[in-house]
Amino acid sequence: MSAEEVLRANEKAAVEGQIISRVSGKRSKNQKKTGLGAGLFITAILVVFLFIFSSGNMIPTAISERLIEETDVQYADAVQSKILVFQQALSSGDIPDNTTRILKEKGVLVGYVENGEFIENNKSGRESALLYKDKVVLAGDFATAVQADAGLYNAFTAATYSRAAYYYDDSAKQVFREIGTNRNNYTADSDFDEVMGRIVGEGSDIDINNVTLVQKTNERGEKYYVYETVGAAAESNDAATMVASVSGKNTAGTSAEATLNAADQLNKADSISKKQRSERLFVGFMENVSKMKAGEGNESKINEAMNYLYRETESEVVDVSTGEVVTVSGSMLESPSLYAILSGEGVDTAKTSNYSSDRVLKTVENQLGAQAGNGLIQGNVVSSQKGVKGSIGRYVGGGMSAESEVLTKVTQTIDKSLVSNSFETMGGVAGGEMLVEGAVSVGAELAKASGASLGDAMAVTEYARLTSSILALDAKADRLNRSPFDITSKNTFLGSIVYNMAISVSSGSALTQFSSIFRAMGSAVSGILPAVSAEDEAERYLANFGDCKTIGAVGAVGSATCAQIVTFDTSTLNDIFNDPGFVAFVEANTTLDSNGTRKIKPDSALADYIKYNNERSTPAGMMDGGILASVKSGSSSYFVSDILSMVQNLLGASEGEKRMASGAAFVNSSTNGDWETYKYAQRYVSLARATESLRAYADDETAYMNLKYFEGTENPVVAFLNEYYYLANQ
């Protein structure tokens, strides 16, 4: 057998767990030996890889693709929603001309069936069908057929939008505006550190104050009570002063409770700052890789970016278990989370505690030997907006004071997060954790534009399983038209080895790189296996959950560092257009105007979901004062700096309003009674974005305009938000 025949046979045989040995030409059913069997052949050409690595292009590409693949939550649902929309369009018999043309080029005809015969016609006004490889696919069978045949899936993908569409549509542009940056910060003359410093920013503008009930006497000697703030706000311009001030503002029934209340306020300030800065770090860093991959390397600082990634740095962090400052040495690549993503191994969440979004609270809990309950966590009310600006407050009713000496243990953490937090202080292991958190957070924000929400462990794991199946289908389709020797794709046999080796060479020591070669070969074999199981998902980064108190308070799970994980409900992917619950939800929450355009009712449950889940700016699990104000007044101004009004709204809010403000109402969980309603809101938002993307790709304003529940030429969700914010600013 020739070398190419061996590798092509290996790709095909991998789905059956069999690899052909170059030495014997026979099949082996022992997958543990497949890496070695393939390795005997591949070793002869490893010298070629050294040349590839010397180009410097493969390593950043491998790193970026691995990082994005693990954290791009929106993709699998985008594919599934696209399939649902297209199936519905087949049912209505109106497939756009451009889409039909591309399908035909790929061997798929659009038409209808009459008297048992297929007739080619994409504008028949009757239910359409497809003809592929002499087999007719009826509209009702399309969703099953397209996922069962890689060739049909490949043609369908070519004729409709690809993964990149969800990074550059109007919804994505709005997400990046909210993050506070864009994708074009660098030019050939840019200085890497200077631009990153500007993107990430320096210092955080977060104030903390509390509210108490004060007795007053009027001129007639009558006593009355008013709410007042407790002195001046604690501003985040000096860590020691801020910690001491927050400590002095907190009292409760016991000193431990007061201390935990203060720690929770500081924890929320830290979380807001860390989330926003990590998002900007990720976007700024990845711009260089993206430009290089797009052939615009001269307009990037890819070499400087990669040097920053490799740079060995000493950084100081607070050990949450002891409260002591420890020095951590290493590069960003050696951070627990980034290493786990690049290696494909499970992350050790014990090693990420010092970088967790709940690190302040955990440090204080360990010092006190006392745990904060859900009531304490939800007692704070917060508000934040882009640019790392926030306000945090709570009601205090007197009693014991917080233990200031315990809170001093988190001063270093607060300093690094809120005060001395310029780009110059990042890097090393801590920087690697920030980069991953940024990837997770940006992925979450992009997915929220499609309706994604927080989920419990079961929901996240179930969706991760779907994601793996879609990625496997993508890989299988990608291999159809590629040689096994094609190293530009990580989906081919040799390409997979190159990508795995690129990771090993970039992050491993000389001693470990030899063994990494054989691990890479094994990974290449497993990488082309389409099988998906819960066990497989145990190794995916977003299926490894941290000990997340803030997010856990609303019944959701977070990443290893407690960044928010958003997910989609897979139960709404089955024939949704004929689901009685979905039909009833859409009819109750939308209307058709006189022009035949679908509109979202402004005071509906769907409107609430869009405003208070999709558009939420405060990190999940926090009681958002802006949302409380909006629920009560109908205003769209989420950021509220008046702590007095925030706390008063919190004290006067109903349980339902509090669940909206904390995000608890929107958690994808079987224990959340509200989800039975909001799961349909999520699906509607997702289908709306899919329809918009299909319409844009068809380059036809009238494409899909008669699609049931999405009639018209605009995205109902985007149209609703445009009108909502326009009216709010009048």
Side-chain angles (χ1 to χ4, degrees):
M1 299 177 69
S2 69
E4 179 157 354
E5 287 173 333
V6 169
L7 289 183
R8 178 63 76 186
N10 279 336
E11 287 187 334
K12 292 180 178 179
V15 298
E16 301 171 1
Q18 301 172 335
I19 296 297
I20 299 175
S21 168
R22 176 67 177 90
V23 177
S24 66
K26 297 179 180 179
R27 296 180 184 273
S28 169
K29 293 187 178 181
N30 186 345
Q31 287 195 28
K32 291 185 178 180
K33 296 179 180 179
T34 56
L36 179 59
L40 293 175
F41 165 70
I42 297 168
T43 302
I45 57 173
L46 286 181
V47 290
V48 178
F49 298 158
L50 298 178
F51 170 76
I52 297 167
F53 296 149
S54 67
S55 69
N57 290 340
M58 189 60 70
I59 292 173
T61 299
I63 290 173
S64 70
E65 292 197 4
R66 192 74 64 85
L67 187 61
I68 291 174
E69 185 174 279
E70 287 285 349
T71 58
D72 180 17
V73 182
Q74 64 184 345
Y75 178 59
D77 188 79
V79 172
Q80 293 293 82
S81 288
K82 173 175 69 172
I83 290 172
L84 289 174
V85 171
F86 192 82
Q87 178 168 288
Q88 183 65 16
L90 282 173
S91 297
S92 67
D94 189 13
I95 303 299
D97 291 339
N98 282 341
T99 304
T100 302
R101 175 182 56 79
I102 298 173
L103 284 171
K104 189 171 185 177
E105 291 173 356
K106 298 295 181 179
V108 182
L109 302 181
V110 179
Y112 61 92
V113 176
E114 186 172 73
N115 298 324
E117 291 188 12
F118 178 84
I119 300 172
E120 186 178 358
N121 186 334
N122 69 302
K123 297 288 186 181
S124 64
R126 56 195 295 181
E127 182 173 311
S128 295
L130 302 178
L131 181 65
Y132 177 64
K133 292 182 178 179
D134 297 324
K135 182 179 179 180
V136 174
V137 179
L138 299 177
D141 302 326
F142 174 74
T144 301
V146 76
Q147 294 178 80
D149 190 310
L152 179 58
Y153 178 79
N154 192 37
F156 173 64
T157 300
T160 54
Y161 65 82
S162 63
R163 188 174 199 146
Y166 274 36
Y167 283 88
Y168 294 95
D169 64 359
D170 288 341
S171 297
K173 291 174 183 177
Q174 177 60 28
V175 168
F176 283 97
R177 281 194 294 269
E178 286 302 313
I179 290 173
T181 186
N182 56 56
R183 299 184 183 87
N184 194 29
N185 297 288
Y186 290 93
T187 66
D189 300 323
S190 297
D191 178 86
F192 177 76
D193 288 342
E194 187 277 326
V195 173
M196 287 299 293
R198 173 169 50 80
I199 294 172
V200 174
E202 183 172 358
S204 302
D205 181 12
I206 296 179
D207 289 344
I208 299 177
N209 206 343
N210 290 339
V211 174
T212 186
L213 194 62
V214 178
Q215 186 184 75
K216 300 279 188 178
T217 303
N218 62 22
E219 62 276 8
R220 295 188 298 274
E222 300 169 335
K223 295 186 183 336
Y224 65 99
Y225 292 86
V226 296
Y227 290 109
E228 290 186 353
T229 53
V230 182
E235 298 179 350
S236 53
N237 52 17
D238 179 80
T241 302
M242 183 180 195
V243 171
S245 178
V246 172
S247 173
K249 292 174 182 294
N250 275 276
T251 58
T254 67
S255 60
E257 184 181 351
T259 305
L260 289 171
N261 288 346
D264 194 31
Q265 289 184 314
L266 293 168
N267 192 73
K268 286 175 167 51
D270 176 40
S271 296
I272 290 170
S273 174
K274 192 158 69 74
K275 175 182 181 294
Q276 293 187 18
R277 288 168 52 243
S278 67
E279 289 173 348
R280 293 179 173 198
L281 173 67
F282 171 73
V283 172
F285 181 86
M286 293 304 295
E287 178 189 326
N288 296 282
V289 183
S290 298
K291 283 186 173 178
M292 183 208 75
K293 290 172 64 178
E296 301 175 4
N298 290 337
E299 293 299 310
S300 75
K301 291 297 173 182
I302 186 62
N303 291 331
E304 291 88 340
M306 297 311 294
N307 288 339
Y308 179 69
L309 193 70
Y310 303 145
R311 188 182 303 155
E312 297 277 341
T313 303
E314 285 191 351
S315 52
E316 292 184 336
V317 297
V318 174
D319 185 334
V320 298
S321 62
T322 65
E324 301 301 321
V325 177
V326 296
T327 300
V328 181
S329 299
S331 68
M332 294 174 72
L333 290 168
E334 295 172 270
S335 72
S337 294
L338 188 53
Y339 175 81
I341 287 176
L342 300 184
S343 67
E345 299 177 6
V347 63
D348 184 349
T349 54
K351 294 181 179 179
T352 63
S353 289
N354 296 343
Y355 312 100
S356 167
S357 292
D358 282 331
R359 57 190 176 178
V360 170
L361 190 58
K362 290 177 179 178
T363 303
V364 173
E365 284 183 338
N366 288 330
Q367 290 296 296
L368 287 174
Q371 303 296 306
N374 289 356
L376 295 177
I377 289 176
Q378 294 193 15
N380 286 317
V381 58
V382 306
S383 183
S384 71
Q385 67 179 21
K386 68 181 180 182
V388 201
K389 185 175 183 180
S391 298
I392 304 171
R394 68 179 297 117
Y395 173 75
V396 292
M400 302 288 287
S401 298
E403 298 180 32
S404 58
E405 65 276 12
V406 172
L407 291 172
T408 58
K409 294 289 186 180
V410 300
T411 301
Q412 169 89 349
T413 301
I414 294 300
D415 180 66
K416 292 289 186 182
S417 178
L418 301 178
V419 183
S420 304
N421 64 2
S422 68
F423 176 71
E424 293 179 358
T425 66
M426 294 182 186
V429 174
E433 291 299 313
M434 286 279 286
L435 185 68
V436 172
E437 179 169 350
V440 176
S441 294
V442 171
E445 294 304 320
L446 288 167
K448 282 167 59 181
S450 296
S453 69
L454 294 175
D456 63 13
M458 183 180 296
V460 172
T461 302
E462 186 67 27
Y463 182 67
R465 193 176 294 122
L466 172 66
T467 298
S468 274
S469 69
I470 295 297
L471 293 176
L473 185 57
D474 277 350
K476 188 176 181 180
D478 185 40
R479 285 193 294 272
L480 290 177
N481 300 314
R482 291 183 185 271
S483 162
F485 288 105
D486 188 344
I487 61 171
T488 63
S489 170
K490 62 181 174 58
N491 297 319
T492 66
F493 197 86
L494 283 185
S496 178
I497 293 174
V498 170
Y499 271 72
N500 280 282
M501 287 184 62
I503 297 297
S504 299
V505 169
S506 66
S507 59
S509 65
L511 182 63
T512 61
Q513 283 175 15
F514 182 76
S515 61
S516 295
I517 291 173
F518 292 96
R519 286 203 309 273
M521 294 172 188
S523 296
V525 175
S526 63
I528 59 176
L529 292 173
V532 179
S533 68
E535 288 73 24
D536 296 331
E537 288 313 311
E539 296 302 313
R540 294 190 71 87
Y541 180 75
L542 289 186
N544 287 263
F545 313 128
D547 176 19
C548 307
K549 296 181 178 298
T550 305
I551 296 175
V554 294
V557 292
S559 74
T561 57
C562 294
Q564 62 179 354
I565 300 175
V566 298
T567 190
F568 292 90
D569 192 328
T570 58
S571 72
T572 59
L573 291 172
N574 299 321
D575 200 18
I576 189 67
F577 286 92
N578 292 313
D579 183 328
F582 180 74
V583 172
F585 177 85
V586 175
E587 291 178 349
N589 287 267
T590 68
T591 185
L592 277 174
D593 67 11
S594 58
N595 296 320
T597 298
R598 182 69 58 174
K599 296 286 188 181
I600 295 173
K601 295 179 180 179
D603 297 321
S604 63
L606 176 56
D608 286 345
Y609 187 83
I610 295 168
K611 291 183 293 184
Y612 306 134
N613 178 73
N614 298 15
E615 297 294 291
R616 182 188 182 100
S617 58
T618 304
M622 299 183 184
M623 192 71 69
D624 191 300
I627 290 178
L628 284 175
S630 179
V631 169
K632 289 181 174 297
S633 67
S635 167
S636 64
S637 179
Y638 287 179
F639 179 73
V640 178
S641 60
D642 185 347
I643 292 174
L644 181 61
S645 64
M646 284 169 55
V647 173
Q648 286 179 302
N649 276 330
L650 176 63
L651 294 174
S654 67
E655 286 305 308
E657 291 167 338
K658 288 179 180 178
R659 286 177 57 76
M660 279 193 185
S662 68
F666 309 123
V667 174
N668 179 357
S669 172
S670 60
T671 62
N672 175 20
D674 293 326
W675 187 244
E676 281 303 303
T677 295
Y678 290 126
K679 69 180 182 181
Y680 292 126
Q682 179 186 81
R683 182 53 51 203
Y684 189 87
V685 174
S686 178
L687 292 172
R689 193 174 183 190
T691 304
E692 177 188 24
S693 296
L694 284 168
R695 186 177 290 131
Y697 193 85
D699 194 25
D700 180 357
E701 288 186 358
T702 65
Y704 307 100
M705 68 178 297
N706 296 316
L707 188 71
K708 193 176 181 181
Y709 308 133
F710 299 93
E711 299 89 345
T713 60
E714 59 187 12
N715 181 334
V717 176
V718 173
F720 165 75
L721 286 173
N722 287 340
E723 183 175 357
Y724 178 69
Y725 288 124
Y726 173 78
L727 292 175
N729 293 323
Q730 295 304 299

